[in-house]
Amino acid sequence: MPTTHPFDDDKLREECGVFGIWGAESASAIVALGLHALQHRGQEAAGITSWDGRLFHSHRAMGHVAGNFDKDDIIRRLAGDASIGHVRYSTTGETALRNVQPLFAELASGGFAVAHNGNISNAMRLRGELNRRGSIFQSTSDTEVIIHLVATSTYRTLLDRFIDALKQVEGAYSLVCLTSEGMIACRDPLGIRPLVMGRLGDSYIFASETVALDVVGATYIRSVEPGELIIVSAKGLRSHRPFAPRRPRPCIFEHVYFSRPDSIVDGSSVYSVRKRIGAELARENPVEADFVVPVPDSGVPAAIGYAQESGIPFELGIIRSHYVGRTFIQPGDAVRHLGVKLKHNANSALIAGKKLVLIDDSIVRGTTSLKIVQMLRDAGAREVHMRIASPPTRHSCFYRVDTPERAKLLAAQMNVAEMNDYIKADSLAFVSIDGLYRAMGQGRRDPVGPQFCDACFTGDYPIPLVDADDGKVSVQLSLLAETA
Ligand code: SF4
């Protein structure tokens, strides 16, 4: 099985990125560029669906955006001035072409395409009910539940049927949908997954991150607000708020790791937040050292913040190869063990004989941290003190993030001292949950009504885990997977 992150299985992975544009010439070419900027959010598959005023066109494929959407004939076939796209890792449902989004269905009202970032946490229960009422599912994706709920709703207008569907689902969703009547963008009432709105000339764009607006030369307008539903059509733009207001709880891990540092998430610069987390880490967990060294690339902004706060020089003690990754075939165990050196190599001329503060964004399984500490010691480092720019990751995410099962999370099994013994560092410390909230511009975490979803650190899940509580987490259809 080709993989895109042969040595990154020690990170939480964001599952999806969405992008849509209404009212632009060459809309699908712009979507392809936008998806390219969101590639870090999902690397297993990509898809685009367009509307040319008469017909819908769709192309979905396994693999990266480049390689699938860099061919003129494919973009030409995706005709029209309205288009949506999606990049994904597999989560709910097996990795198969039929699960690649945008999903599309012919409803009584016409075509309906949906691109979804998030996870419907009661999808299995709803799917069972829909199955009993006669719905026939084509994929194992939780997103298909939304299509069937829209299709079977008894409300008259498409908008009302869509709202009726969303009121039945629990979970995290940022959606961009394409219909013959217009493009619909919406965010769940807690705003767990991000979604932003931008403008390119007279066209409106919706995207998971602002970096996708930057890449296509669009202007950032604002975030789609939690619980907001926006329709763009020939009549212009209309905003609806169909849900009872609730205190938003956007995913705090977007700021720790998922989003690109050059993005603005819910009004905050991701780069600035990561630097402030590093500064909090330095204040909470000081250590004497010669250099602050990031695990590249994800640890770099926090390491800059740690260095600036502590006065210890920032140095690139680890150099990352940017040529490891795409469709790299996983080698066997013996060779795989060398993988960390293929991706990261110690800058031995710099670090030999030195005391290092090593900064990374998180520890998930701990296997990479163990190898990197050993690599630095082998290169002659005298001491390696590891500092982590997030609290210990003790719980799984059920809101469309690929988390190893809880038993494989190092922090779910060990306390910090035991984790330090496991990774064989001289010391190990994490930023506190309140330190993380301070870096987000909050005084502290409000224990009664937390300002963010932080469930992977605290276990405080803001949305009921209906399927997980029912013991149902995925389905398997009987047709063997299509692949491409
Ligand atoms: S559980 Fe963690 S990764 Fe998942 S949405 Fe909440 S904060 Fe984000």
Side-chain angles (χ1 to χ4, degrees):
M1 175 69 201
T3 176
T4 51
H5 278 288
F7 310 111
D8 251 7
D9 58 353
D10 200 13
K11 292 283 181 201
L12 299 192
R13 295 187 308 188
E14 176 53 78
E15 298 299 347
C16 300
V18 297
F19 188 99
I21 184 164
W22 178 271
E25 218 177 290
S26 308
S28 292
I30 295 168
V31 172
L33 288 173
L35 291 182
H36 197 272
L38 298 174
Q39 190 76 85
H40 58 288
R41 299 184 73 86
Q43 303 186 346
E44 280 190 5
I48 295 179
T49 300
S50 69
W51 159 246
D52 69 6
R54 198 172 64 88
L55 294 171
F56 288 85
H57 308 271
S58 183
H59 183 76
R60 303 179 298 158
M62 306 305 293
H64 284 207
V65 179
N68 281 309
F69 291 98
D70 53 357
K71 298 173 188 70
D72 277 353
D73 59 324
I74 288 177
I75 294 296
R76 259 200 308 274
R77 280 206 305 274
L78 294 165
D81 64 6
S83 181
I84 64 171
H86 190 265
V87 288
R88 83 185 293 260
Y89 283 116
S90 64
T91 45
T92 307
E94 83 274 33
T95 301
L97 196 55
R98 61 189 168 176
N99 282 341
V100 177
Q101 299 191 25
L103 298 184
F104 179 84
E106 294 285 358
L107 306 184
S109 54
F112 183 86
V114 56
H116 172 205
N117 174 207
N119 192 52
I120 308 299
S121 47
N122 63 341
M124 291 297 295
R125 188 179 282 185
L126 289 170
R127 190 182 173 105
E129 290 164 11
L130 286 159
N131 275 150
R132 278 190 289 281
R133 292 189 341 230
S135 292
I136 298 168
F137 282 76
Q138 299 294 322
S139 77
T140 56
S141 162
D142 59 322
T143 308
E144 196 182 344
V145 164
I146 296 173
I147 292 179
H148 287 277
L149 289 173
V150 174
T152 54
S153 171
T154 53
Y155 282 84
R156 197 175 60 80
T157 68
L158 179 61
L159 176 61
D160 285 341
R161 288 203 297 276
F162 188 61
I163 292 170
D164 181 38
L166 294 185
K167 286 187 171 172
Q168 296 174 66
V169 303
E170 299 272 9
Y173 51 85
S174 282
L175 298 167
V176 181
C177 308
L178 187 60
T179 78
S180 54
E181 295 173 29
M183 189 163 72
I184 307 171
C186 72
R187 209 168 160 201
D188 70 73
L190 299 186
I192 290 187
R193 304 258 68 89
L195 191 63
V196 297
M197 177 165 65
R199 198 100 208 240
L200 181 65
D202 292 333
S203 320
Y204 284 101
I205 296 180
F206 297 94
S208 293
E209 288 184 42
T210 58
V211 67
L213 303 178
D214 297 341
V215 162
V216 302
T219 309
Y220 168 57
I221 302 176
R222 63 175 174 86
S223 286
V224 176
E225 290 180 14
E228 185 180 16
L229 186 155
I230 299 174
I231 301 179
V232 185
S233 69
K235 295 180 196 149
L237 180 143
R238 280 173 295 148
S239 167
H240 300 259
R241 287 168 197 283
F243 307 104
R246 293 171 66 183
R247 183 171 191 169
R249 291 192 60 183
C251 168
I252 206 164
F253 224 109
E254 290 286 346
H255 300 269
V256 169
Y257 176 68
F258 300 142
S259 290
R260 261 177 52 164
D262 44 344
S263 278
I264 311 283
V265 175
D266 286 323
S268 298
S269 152
V270 175
Y271 180 75
S272 300
V273 167
R274 286 183 192 164
K275 273 180 62 181
R276 290 201 296 269
I277 299 173
E280 288 288 343
L281 194 52
R283 282 192 286 273
E284 290 183 346
N285 299 290
V287 61
E288 274 187 28
D290 298 305
F291 301 135
V292 175
V293 169
V295 177
D297 291 324
S298 55
V300 171
I304 293 171
Y306 194 105
Q308 288 178 350
E309 179 64 25
S310 65
I312 301 170
F314 171 95
E315 292 285 2
L316 295 179
I318 300 170
I319 305 299
R320 178 180 168 183
S321 166
H322 288 268
Y323 301 99
V324 181
R326 189 164 172 235
T327 62
F328 195 92
I329 306 298
Q330 286 206 2
D333 275 355
V335 181
R336 183 187 165 86
H337 182 67
L338 299 173
V340 74
K341 294 192 84 170
L342 190 62
K343 184 174 174 188
H344 293 127
N345 193 29
N347 184 356
S348 52
L350 175 82
I351 64 170
K354 302 296 186 197
K355 291 187 196 177
L356 308 178
V357 192
L358 177 65
I359 311 283
D360 205 353
D361 61 276
S362 57
I363 291 183
V364 179
R365 291 179 162 93
T367 47
T368 303
S369 306
L370 169 68
K371 287 172 189 165
I372 285 185
V373 169
Q374 188 59 49
M375 182 180 74
L376 293 172
R377 291 201 193 284
D378 291 347
R382 188 146 56 97
E383 291 176 20
V384 181
H385 300 273
M386 188 139 202
R387 297 290 180 269
I388 303 298
S390 60
T393 304
R394 294 199 168 98
H395 305 270
S396 297
C397 175
F398 294 89
Y399 307 132
R400 198 60 146 211
V401 171
D402 179 27
T403 330
E405 60 200 60
R406 218 178 152 217
K408 293 189 177 144
L409 294 170
L410 195 65
Q413 306 306 316
M414 299 180 187
N415 63 31
V416 174
E418 290 165 339
M419 291 172 79
N420 186 47
D421 289 346
Y422 175 81
I423 66 169
K424 299 187 170 62
D426 290 284
S427 71
L428 169 67
F430 295 76
V431 77
S432 68
I433 191 80
D434 280 336
L436 178 58
Y437 272 71
R438 278 193 298 274
M440 294 294 305
Q442 309 286 330
R444 59 194 282 266
R445 180 181 194 265
D446 177 351
V448 181
Q451 303 91 320
F452 295 93
C453 177
D454 52 20
C456 46
F457 307 129
T458 62
D460 176 359
Y461 291 97
I463 298 175
L465 307 176
V466 177
D467 290 341
D469 291 345
D470 285 353
K472 294 176 181 167
V473 288
S474 67
V475 288
Q476 183 71 50
L477 297 185
S478 49
L479 175 67
L480 207 59
E482 297 168 57
T483 54

mmCIF file of all heavy atoms in Angstrom, residues 1 17 20 31 48 55 88 106 121 155 161 168 249 296 305 414 422 431-432 448:
data_model
loop_
_atom_site.group_PDB
_atom_site.id
_atom_site.type_symbol
_atom_site.label_atom_id
_atom_site.label_comp_id
_atom_site.label_asym_id
_atom_site.label_seq_id
_atom_site.Cartn_x
_atom_site.Cartn_y
_atom_site.Cartn_z
ATOM 1 N N MET A 1 0.848 -1.198 0.000
ATOM 2 C CA MET A 1 0.000 0.000 0.000
ATOM 3 C C MET A 1 0.883 1.247 0.000
ATOM 4 O O MET A 1 1.696 1.424 0.890
ATOM 5 C CB MET A 1 -0.868 -0.032 1.261
ATOM 6 C CG MET A 1 -1.718 1.202 1.466
ATOM 7 S SD MET A 1 -3.004 1.297 0.223
ATOM 8 C CE MET A 1 -3.373 3.040 0.304
ATOM 9 N N GLY A 17 -9.599 18.431 3.721
ATOM 10 C CA GLY A 17 -9.644 19.845 3.395
ATOM 11 C C GLY A 17 -10.691 20.058 2.319
ATOM 12 O O GLY A 17 -10.877 19.195 1.444
ATOM 13 N N GLY A 20 -14.282 25.502 -2.302
ATOM 14 C CA GLY A 20 -15.345 25.694 -3.291
ATOM 15 C C GLY A 20 -15.346 27.108 -3.811
ATOM 16 O O GLY A 20 -15.005 28.049 -3.073
ATOM 17 N N VAL A 31 -10.016 25.572 -8.080
ATOM 18 C CA VAL A 31 -10.210 24.579 -7.008
ATOM 19 C C VAL A 31 -8.971 23.682 -6.899
ATOM 20 O O VAL A 31 -8.497 23.388 -5.795
ATOM 21 C CB VAL A 31 -11.477 23.735 -7.249
ATOM 22 C CG1 VAL A 31 -11.566 22.588 -6.249
ATOM 23 C CG2 VAL A 31 -12.718 24.608 -7.151
ATOM 24 N N ILE A 48 -12.861 16.625 -7.417
ATOM 25 C CA ILE A 48 -13.480 17.908 -7.777
ATOM 26 C C ILE A 48 -14.797 17.612 -8.490
ATOM 27 O O ILE A 48 -14.868 16.698 -9.324
ATOM 28 C CB ILE A 48 -12.562 18.742 -8.704
ATOM 29 C CG1 ILE A 48 -11.269 19.143 -7.973
ATOM 30 C CG2 ILE A 48 -13.288 19.990 -9.212
ATOM 31 C CD1 ILE A 48 -10.287 19.943 -8.824
ATOM 32 N N LEU A 55 -25.113 20.621 -16.484
ATOM 33 C CA LEU A 55 -24.672 19.308 -16.011
ATOM 34 C C LEU A 55 -23.599 19.449 -14.933
ATOM 35 O O LEU A 55 -22.872 20.449 -14.892
ATOM 36 C CB LEU A 55 -24.073 18.508 -17.181
ATOM 37 C CG LEU A 55 -25.026 18.106 -18.304
ATOM 38 C CD1 LEU A 55 -24.232 17.521 -19.466
ATOM 39 C CD2 LEU A 55 -26.046 17.091 -17.789
ATOM 40 N N ARG A 88 -8.523 14.184 1.161
ATOM 41 C CA ARG A 88 -8.873 13.374 2.325
ATOM 42 C C ARG A 88 -7.815 12.340 2.698
ATOM 43 O O ARG A 88 -7.028 11.905 1.854
ATOM 44 C CB ARG A 88 -10.182 12.612 2.082
ATOM 45 C CG ARG A 88 -10.030 11.318 1.300
ATOM 46 C CD ARG A 88 -11.358 10.666 0.982
ATOM 47 N NE ARG A 88 -12.080 10.170 2.124
ATOM 48 C CZ ARG A 88 -12.106 8.891 2.502
ATOM 49 N NH1 ARG A 88 -11.431 7.974 1.844
ATOM 50 N NH2 ARG A 88 -12.802 8.506 3.532
ATOM 51 N N GLU A 106 -28.161 12.259 -7.361
ATOM 52 C CA GLU A 106 -29.271 12.892 -8.091
ATOM 53 C C GLU A 106 -30.483 12.872 -7.170
ATOM 54 O O GLU A 106 -31.079 11.825 -6.953
ATOM 55 C CB GLU A 106 -29.600 12.098 -9.367
ATOM 56 C CG GLU A 106 -28.524 12.102 -10.414
ATOM 57 C CD GLU A 106 -28.419 13.421 -11.185
ATOM 58 O OE1 GLU A 106 -29.231 14.335 -10.924
ATOM 59 O OE2 GLU A 106 -27.510 13.518 -12.022
ATOM 60 N N SER A 121 -20.816 11.951 14.339
ATOM 61 C CA SER A 121 -20.587 10.983 15.409
ATOM 62 C C SER A 121 -21.805 10.097 15.690
ATOM 63 O O SER A 121 -21.709 9.153 16.470
ATOM 64 C CB SER A 121 -20.091 11.663 16.683
ATOM 65 O OG SER A 121 -20.864 12.780 16.996
ATOM 66 N N TYR A 155 -39.466 18.267 3.875
ATOM 67 C CA TYR A 155 -39.608 19.721 3.672
ATOM 68 C C TYR A 155 -39.623 20.037 2.176
ATOM 69 O O TYR A 155 -39.134 19.265 1.352
ATOM 70 C CB TYR A 155 -38.466 20.468 4.372
ATOM 71 C CG TYR A 155 -38.702 20.584 5.869
ATOM 72 C CD1 TYR A 155 -38.356 19.540 6.730
ATOM 73 C CD2 TYR A 155 -39.278 21.729 6.413
ATOM 74 C CE1 TYR A 155 -38.577 19.640 8.098
ATOM 75 C CE2 TYR A 155 -39.509 21.826 7.776
ATOM 76 C CZ TYR A 155 -39.148 20.778 8.611
ATOM 77 O OH TYR A 155 -39.396 20.870 9.956
ATOM 78 N N ARG A 161 -34.741 21.245 3.453
ATOM 79 C CA ARG A 161 -34.389 19.823 3.585
ATOM 80 C C ARG A 161 -32.954 19.668 4.112
ATOM 81 O O ARG A 161 -32.674 18.778 4.920
ATOM 82 C CB ARG A 161 -34.537 19.113 2.227
ATOM 83 C CG ARG A 161 -35.990 18.933 1.817
ATOM 84 C CD ARG A 161 -36.154 17.789 0.819
ATOM 85 N NE ARG A 161 -35.452 18.035 -0.414
ATOM 86 C CZ ARG A 161 -35.928 18.757 -1.429
ATOM 87 N NH1 ARG A 161 -37.127 19.312 -1.336
ATOM 88 N NH2 ARG A 161 -35.224 18.915 -2.524
ATOM 89 N N GLN A 168 -30.433 16.654 12.376
ATOM 90 C CA GLN A 168 -30.448 15.262 12.853
ATOM 91 C C GLN A 168 -29.048 14.711 13.110
ATOM 92 O O GLN A 168 -28.899 13.658 13.708
ATOM 93 C CB GLN A 168 -31.149 14.369 11.825
ATOM 94 C CG GLN A 168 -32.619 14.726 11.648
ATOM 95 C CD GLN A 168 -33.243 13.930 10.528
ATOM 96 O OE1 GLN A 168 -33.363 12.718 10.620
ATOM 97 N NE2 GLN A 168 -33.627 14.611 9.459
ATOM 98 N N ARG A 249 -16.756 25.786 20.186
ATOM 99 C CA ARG A 249 -15.589 25.063 20.717
ATOM 100 C C ARG A 249 -14.739 24.560 19.547
ATOM 101 O O ARG A 249 -14.653 23.352 19.286
ATOM 102 C CB ARG A 249 -16.025 23.907 21.618
ATOM 103 C CG ARG A 249 -16.638 24.442 22.917
ATOM 104 C CD ARG A 249 -16.836 23.398 23.958
ATOM 105 N NE ARG A 249 -15.608 22.754 24.369
ATOM 106 C CZ ARG A 249 -15.568 21.756 25.250
ATOM 107 N NH1 ARG A 249 -16.678 21.335 25.801
ATOM 108 N NH2 ARG A 249 -14.419 21.192 25.581
ATOM 109 N N PRO A 296 11.940 19.471 12.893
ATOM 110 C CA PRO A 296 11.344 20.167 11.739
ATOM 111 C C PRO A 296 10.293 19.307 11.062
ATOM 112 O O PRO A 296 10.391 18.085 11.117
ATOM 113 C CB PRO A 296 12.540 20.400 10.814
ATOM 114 C CG PRO A 296 13.551 19.366 11.165
ATOM 115 C CD PRO A 296 13.293 18.960 12.601
ATOM 116 N N GLY A 305 9.735 30.563 19.519
ATOM 117 C CA GLY A 305 9.146 31.200 20.703
ATOM 118 C C GLY A 305 9.902 30.831 21.966
ATOM 119 O O GLY A 305 10.154 31.684 22.833
ATOM 120 N N MET A 414 1.185 6.064 30.226
ATOM 121 C CA MET A 414 2.307 6.384 31.122
ATOM 122 C C MET A 414 2.161 7.800 31.673
ATOM 123 O O MET A 414 1.570 8.661 31.014
ATOM 124 C CB MET A 414 3.630 6.343 30.333
ATOM 125 C CG MET A 414 3.962 5.022 29.719
ATOM 126 S SD MET A 414 5.541 5.153 28.828
ATOM 127 C CE MET A 414 5.583 3.547 28.041
ATOM 128 N N TYR A 422 10.843 6.228 28.596
ATOM 129 C CA TYR A 422 10.600 5.523 27.325
ATOM 130 C C TYR A 422 11.367 6.159 26.175
ATOM 131 O O TYR A 422 11.978 5.457 25.365
ATOM 132 C CB TYR A 422 9.091 5.504 27.027
ATOM 133 C CG TYR A 422 8.753 4.901 25.690
ATOM 134 C CD1 TYR A 422 8.681 3.511 25.525
ATOM 135 C CD2 TYR A 422 8.510 5.712 24.581
ATOM 136 C CE1 TYR A 422 8.380 2.953 24.293
ATOM 137 C CE2 TYR A 422 8.210 5.155 23.343
ATOM 138 C CZ TYR A 422 8.151 3.781 23.207
ATOM 139 O OH TYR A 422 7.860 3.233 21.976
ATOM 140 N N VAL A 431 3.737 21.696 27.738
ATOM 141 C CA VAL A 431 3.057 22.917 28.135
ATOM 142 C C VAL A 431 1.761 22.506 28.842
ATOM 143 O O VAL A 431 1.161 21.465 28.517
ATOM 144 C CB VAL A 431 2.780 23.820 26.901
ATOM 145 C CG1 VAL A 431 1.602 23.322 26.077
ATOM 146 C CG2 VAL A 431 2.563 25.275 27.314
ATOM 147 N N SER A 432 1.339 23.303 29.819
ATOM 148 C CA SER A 432 0.103 22.969 30.548
ATOM 149 C C SER A 432 -1.101 23.358 29.698
ATOM 150 O O SER A 432 -1.002 24.151 28.755
ATOM 151 C CB SER A 432 0.059 23.746 31.866
ATOM 152 O OG SER A 432 -0.093 25.127 31.582
ATOM 153 N N VAL A 448 -15.883 25.248 33.237
ATOM 154 C CA VAL A 448 -17.331 25.065 33.118
ATOM 155 C C VAL A 448 -17.751 25.091 31.646
ATOM 156 O O VAL A 448 -18.530 24.261 31.183
ATOM 157 C CB VAL A 448 -18.085 26.160 33.914
ATOM 158 C CG1 VAL A 448 -19.593 25.956 33.797
ATOM 159 C CG2 VAL A 448 -17.645 26.140 35.369
#
